[in-house]
Short mmCIF file of all heavy atoms in Angstrom, two decimals:
data_model
loop_
_atom_site.label_atom_id
_atom_site.label_comp_id
_atom_site.label_asym_id
_atom_site.label_seq_id
_atom_site.Cartn_x
_atom_site.Cartn_y
_atom_site.Cartn_z
N ASN A 77 23.37 -9.40 -17.25
CA ASN A 77 24.53 -9.48 -16.34
C ASN A 77 25.21 -8.12 -16.14
O ASN A 77 26.42 -8.05 -16.00
CB ASN A 77 25.57 -10.46 -16.90
CG ASN A 77 24.96 -11.82 -17.12
OD1 ASN A 77 24.46 -12.43 -16.19
ND2 ASN A 77 24.99 -12.28 -18.37
N ASN A 78 24.42 -7.04 -16.11
CA ASN A 78 25.01 -5.72 -15.89
C ASN A 78 25.58 -5.65 -14.46
O ASN A 78 24.87 -5.87 -13.48
CB ASN A 78 23.90 -4.68 -16.11
CG ASN A 78 24.37 -3.27 -15.84
OD1 ASN A 78 24.82 -2.95 -14.75
ND2 ASN A 78 24.28 -2.42 -16.86
N GLY A 79 26.89 -5.34 -14.36
CA GLY A 79 27.58 -5.38 -13.08
C GLY A 79 26.94 -4.44 -12.04
O GLY A 79 26.72 -4.84 -10.89
N ALA A 80 26.60 -3.22 -12.46
CA ALA A 80 26.03 -2.26 -11.51
C ALA A 80 24.66 -2.74 -11.05
O ALA A 80 24.34 -2.70 -9.85
CB ALA A 80 25.93 -0.88 -12.16
N SER A 81 23.86 -3.25 -11.99
CA SER A 81 22.51 -3.74 -11.64
C SER A 81 22.61 -4.91 -10.66
O SER A 81 21.84 -5.00 -9.70
CB SER A 81 21.75 -4.19 -12.88
OG SER A 81 21.50 -3.09 -13.71
N GLU A 82 23.59 -5.80 -10.90
CA GLU A 82 23.80 -6.95 -10.00
C GLU A 82 24.06 -6.43 -8.58
O GLU A 82 23.51 -6.94 -7.62
CB GLU A 82 25.04 -7.76 -10.44
CG GLU A 82 24.90 -8.41 -11.78
CD GLU A 82 24.71 -9.93 -11.69
OE1 GLU A 82 24.64 -10.44 -10.56
OE2 GLU A 82 24.60 -10.55 -12.75
N THR A 83 24.93 -5.42 -8.47
CA THR A 83 25.28 -4.87 -7.16
C THR A 83 24.04 -4.27 -6.48
O THR A 83 23.80 -4.49 -5.28
CB THR A 83 26.35 -3.77 -7.30
OG1 THR A 83 27.39 -4.30 -8.11
CG2 THR A 83 26.92 -3.32 -5.98
N TYR A 84 23.26 -3.47 -7.25
CA TYR A 84 22.08 -2.83 -6.64
C TYR A 84 21.08 -3.85 -6.16
O TYR A 84 20.57 -3.76 -5.03
CB TYR A 84 21.37 -1.91 -7.66
CG TYR A 84 22.20 -0.74 -8.14
CD1 TYR A 84 22.09 -0.28 -9.44
CD2 TYR A 84 23.09 -0.09 -7.28
CE1 TYR A 84 22.86 0.79 -9.89
CE2 TYR A 84 23.85 0.97 -7.72
CZ TYR A 84 23.74 1.41 -9.02
OH TYR A 84 24.49 2.45 -9.46
N VAL A 85 20.82 -4.87 -7.00
CA VAL A 85 19.82 -5.86 -6.62
C VAL A 85 20.31 -6.66 -5.42
O VAL A 85 19.55 -6.93 -4.48
CB VAL A 85 19.46 -6.78 -7.82
CG1 VAL A 85 18.62 -7.95 -7.37
CG2 VAL A 85 18.71 -5.99 -8.87
N ALA A 86 21.62 -6.99 -5.41
CA ALA A 86 22.16 -7.74 -4.26
C ALA A 86 21.96 -6.94 -2.97
O ALA A 86 21.58 -7.51 -1.94
CB ALA A 86 23.64 -8.04 -4.50
N SER A 87 22.19 -5.62 -3.01
CA SER A 87 22.00 -4.86 -1.74
C SER A 87 20.54 -4.78 -1.36
O SER A 87 20.22 -4.74 -0.17
CB SER A 87 22.56 -3.43 -1.76
OG SER A 87 23.20 -3.12 -2.89
N LYS A 88 19.65 -4.76 -2.34
CA LYS A 88 18.22 -4.70 -2.01
C LYS A 88 17.78 -6.02 -1.36
O LYS A 88 17.08 -6.03 -0.35
CB LYS A 88 17.40 -4.41 -3.28
CG LYS A 88 17.62 -2.97 -3.76
CD LYS A 88 17.08 -2.70 -5.16
CE LYS A 88 17.50 -1.30 -5.61
NZ LYS A 88 17.11 -0.97 -6.99
N VAL A 89 18.26 -7.13 -1.92
CA VAL A 89 17.91 -8.45 -1.36
C VAL A 89 18.50 -8.59 0.06
O VAL A 89 17.83 -9.07 0.99
CB VAL A 89 18.41 -9.57 -2.30
CG1 VAL A 89 18.34 -10.94 -1.65
CG2 VAL A 89 17.60 -9.56 -3.61
N LYS A 90 19.73 -8.12 0.22
CA LYS A 90 20.39 -8.21 1.54
C LYS A 90 19.62 -7.37 2.57
O LYS A 90 19.39 -7.81 3.70
CB LYS A 90 21.84 -7.70 1.39
CG LYS A 90 22.65 -7.76 2.66
CD LYS A 90 24.14 -7.57 2.35
CE LYS A 90 24.92 -7.34 3.61
NZ LYS A 90 25.27 -5.94 3.86
N SER A 91 19.19 -6.19 2.14
CA SER A 91 18.42 -5.34 3.06
C SER A 91 17.12 -5.99 3.46
O SER A 91 16.69 -5.87 4.61
CB SER A 91 18.13 -3.97 2.42
OG SER A 91 19.31 -3.25 2.31
N CYS A 92 16.48 -6.69 2.53
CA CYS A 92 15.22 -7.40 2.87
C CYS A 92 15.49 -8.37 4.01
O CYS A 92 14.74 -8.42 4.98
CB CYS A 92 14.71 -8.19 1.66
SG CYS A 92 13.83 -7.19 0.46
#
Side-chain angles (χ1 to χ4, degrees):
N77 304 301
N78 177 302
S81 294
E82 295 253 2
T83 310
Y84 297 146
V85 170
S87 356
K88 289 168 187 176
V89 168
K90 182 166 167 259
S91 290
C92 280

